[in-house]
Amino acid sequence: MLSFIWGLFLLLNSATIGCAERVELFWDICRLNISRDGYSTWKSMCVNNAVPIPPVHVTQGDVLVLNVRNSLDVPTAVHAHGIYHNYTDYYDGAEMVTECGIPQGENFTYIIDTTNQVGDLWIHGHAHSQLTDGFRTPFIIHEKIKPSTYDEEKLLYFEDWNERAFKDM
């Protein structure tokens, strides 16, 4: 109960510190029939019918509110890899470790405070080989004050794709 109260305090307090924003995303986790290689078609993991899943960008100090709807036929969980969940481990997204997962047809809201964090991380599915089937995307926490100047920043991310779902291999 204490960790929930601390998490609520962080969420409410972050809106009053500096220029922190509440970045709210709505994700419908689903599968989509696609052909990535031009030969075979299979049901890839997607968010809001998008493949690949768009990257998530926030600024240090923002609070990411990730509203997740599970439209799969199995439970799912969302893990923000590299995030420190100090007093908010129930938002860690490790199915059967810190949570039971989001049941089929249900919703869950993850609240991720980025006050003391910065860097190039990633968000991925943490249940039923969903990471291997495409449930992954970059999670970029931009620094409030850039340490140096440069012309532009590019994000490149690559994925391995199989000709069928992981569970069928």
Side-chain angles (χ1 to χ4, degrees), residues 68-153:
V68 177
R69 168 87 179 151
N70 181 8
S71 292
L72 303 171
D73 57 357
V74 295
T76 191
V78 179
H79 176 65
H81 200 85
I83 288 292
Y84 302 121
H85 287 283
N86 299 324
Y87 306 105
T88 59
D89 55 337
Y90 43 86
Y91 292 131
D92 188 40
E95 184 187 42
M96 304 315 293
V97 177
T98 58
E99 66 181 70
C100 294
I102 307 167
Q104 174 185 359
E106 296 295 323
N107 303 316
F108 186 79
T109 299
Y110 293 90
I111 300 173
I112 301 171
D113 179 32
T114 66
T115 299
N116 297 314
Q117 302 180 96
V118 67
D120 299 346
L121 310 171
W122 57 306
I123 294 177
H124 62 90
H126 216 281
H128 303 277
S129 306
Q130 294 165 0
L131 163 65
T132 308
D133 287 345
F135 188 5
R136 56 187 172 259
T137 193
F139 178 30
I140 312 301
I141 305 173
H142 299 277
E143 292 178 277
K144 279 187 180 183
I145 300 170
K146 296 194 185 297
S148 61
T149 59
Y150 45 88
D151 292 336
E152 67 180 318
E153 188 173 300

Side-chain angles (χ1 to χ4, degrees), residues 12 19 23 32 37 40 57 61 68 73 81 84 107 113 116 122 124 155-156 168:
L12 296 174
C19 296
V23 178
L32 184 66
D37 59 9
S40 56
H57 291 269
V68 177
D73 57 357
H81 200 85
Y84 302 121
N107 303 316
D113 179 32
N116 297 314
W122 57 306
H124 62 90
L155 172 65
L156 299 174
D168 297 332

